[in-house]
């Protein structure tokens, strides 16, 4: 078996994307191992999911740090100590600073529940994203895996999956449809990273 990519997952919430990555590691379809799961939120369901899977967890509460840089420095230290090669943001509700990006250049990825560049940036999180899609009357939405840079939801797109917007949708129904696809494309994108396919052309998006 080839060497497994050591990933660190950062999550603030329920952790269903984390779970999909855990499951794909376990069934062997992902050549990766989760070295550590870090949350800024002591109550994150993601920490419970990781603990149940026997994965090292660490809670680093941002409220205990005087600045974003200090918080990021502590997170980077924990990731380095765990030997992390790829940082996977999975519902991580903190802005990443340049300190962080410099520590893991082109090695931080995120998933966003919309077809970026639409419905990305400040204020577009959770149900607000889906509400905006519905208000605009779009016929489709989806999810996007992208590299993280110093701007919100802005780095290079690695893959996208579209879903239809259906009559009678509310933000919750649309969110659930998008989330099911997130659970498929995020592990797939990580597998691309594990295989060293870093230069993914625009026409190779995951449709
Ligand atoms: C997902 O919708 C993801 O796109 C966004 O945050 C949500 C996290 O959900 N970045 P979960 O904690 O993985 O269930």
């Amino acid at each position: 078996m080839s060497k497994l990519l050591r990933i660190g997952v950062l999550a603030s919430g329920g952790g269903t994307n984390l779970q999909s990555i855990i499951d794909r590691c376990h069934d062997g379809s992902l050549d990766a191992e989760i070295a550590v799961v870090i949350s800024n939120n002591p109550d994150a369901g993601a920490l419970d999911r990781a603990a149940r899977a026997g994965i090292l967890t660490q809670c680093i509460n941002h409220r205990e740090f005087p600045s974003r840089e200090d918080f990021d420095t502590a997170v980077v230290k924990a990731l380095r100590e765990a030997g992390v090669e790829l940082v996977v943001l999975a519902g991580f509700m903190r802005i990443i600073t340049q300190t962080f990006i410099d520590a893991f250049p082109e090695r931080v990825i995120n998933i966003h529940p919309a077809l970026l560049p639409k419905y990305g940036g400040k204020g577009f999180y959770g149900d607000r994203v889906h509400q905006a899609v519905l208000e605009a009357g779009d016929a489709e939405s989806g999810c996007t895996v992208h590299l993280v840079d110093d701007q919100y939801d802005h780095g290079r797109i690695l893959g996208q999956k579209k879903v239809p917007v259906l009559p009678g949708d509310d933000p919750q129904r649309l969110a659930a449809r998008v989330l099911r696809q997130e659970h498929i494309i995020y592990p797939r994108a990580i597998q691309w990273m594990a295989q060293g396919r870093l230069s993914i052309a625009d026409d190779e998006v995951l449709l």
Side-chain angles (χ1 to χ4, degrees):
M1 192 175 66
S2 58
K3 184 181 164 296
L4 298 177
L5 179 71
R6 287 180 71 78
I7 63 178
V9 180
L10 306 193
S12 304
T16 65
N17 275 289
L18 166 67
Q19 189 67 53
S20 72
I21 297 163
I22 291 172
D23 293 345
R24 296 291 79 74
C25 288
H26 282 173
D27 73 16
S29 55
L30 189 42
D31 299 319
E33 60 185 330
I34 304 177
V36 65
V37 171
I38 298 174
S39 183
N40 63 305
N41 172 14
D43 300 321
L47 289 174
D48 298 329
R49 290 178 189 272
R52 272 201 297 278
I55 297 166
L56 175 70
T57 63
Q58 201 163 342
C59 179
I60 304 178
N61 191 337
H62 61 280
R63 294 193 179 84
E64 294 168 5
F65 293 85
S67 71
R68 288 185 197 284
E69 275 72 23
D70 290 318
F71 171 70
D72 273 9
T73 300
V75 175
V76 165
K77 183 166 177 283
L79 292 165
R80 287 234 166 94
E81 281 170 4
V84 166
E85 299 166 293
L86 174 70
V87 182
V88 175
L89 308 187
F92 187 60
M93 299 300 285
R94 305 300 302 164
I95 302 171
I96 298 291
T97 65
Q98 195 62 44
T99 306
F100 200 123
I101 292 158
D102 290 346
F104 291 95
E106 300 241 308
R107 301 302 276 174
V108 185
I109 61 174
N110 184 43
I111 190 156
H112 185 77
L115 295 174
L116 292 175
K118 292 176 89 175
Y119 309 111
K122 201 165 166 53
F124 282 119
Y125 59 86
D127 281 350
R128 291 177 184 212
V129 175
H130 308 294
Q131 184 72 46
V133 171
L134 293 172
E135 280 171 7
D138 289 4
E140 59 187 14
S141 188
C143 45
T144 303
V145 179
H146 65 95
L147 285 179
V148 172
D149 65 14
D150 60 349
Q151 295 175 51
Y152 262 124
D153 302 325
H154 177 266
R156 185 156 59 89
I157 291 173
L158 301 179
Q160 290 185 314
K161 177 74 185 181
K162 291 179 182 171
V163 304
V165 176
L166 298 177
D169 267 354
D170 58 21
Q172 292 73 31
R173 280 169 55 112
L174 180 55
R177 193 175 307 121
V178 170
L179 192 60
R180 279 195 292 278
Q181 299 307 320
E182 293 183 36
H183 297 161
I184 297 169
I185 72 164
Y186 214 9
R188 202 179 285 168
I190 295 166
Q191 177 66 0
W192 285 0
M193 306 292 272
Q195 292 170 333
R197 293 174 61 189
L198 291 174
S199 301
I200 296 163
D202 287 342
D203 59 0
E204 275 189 284
V205 293
L206 302 161
L207 289 171

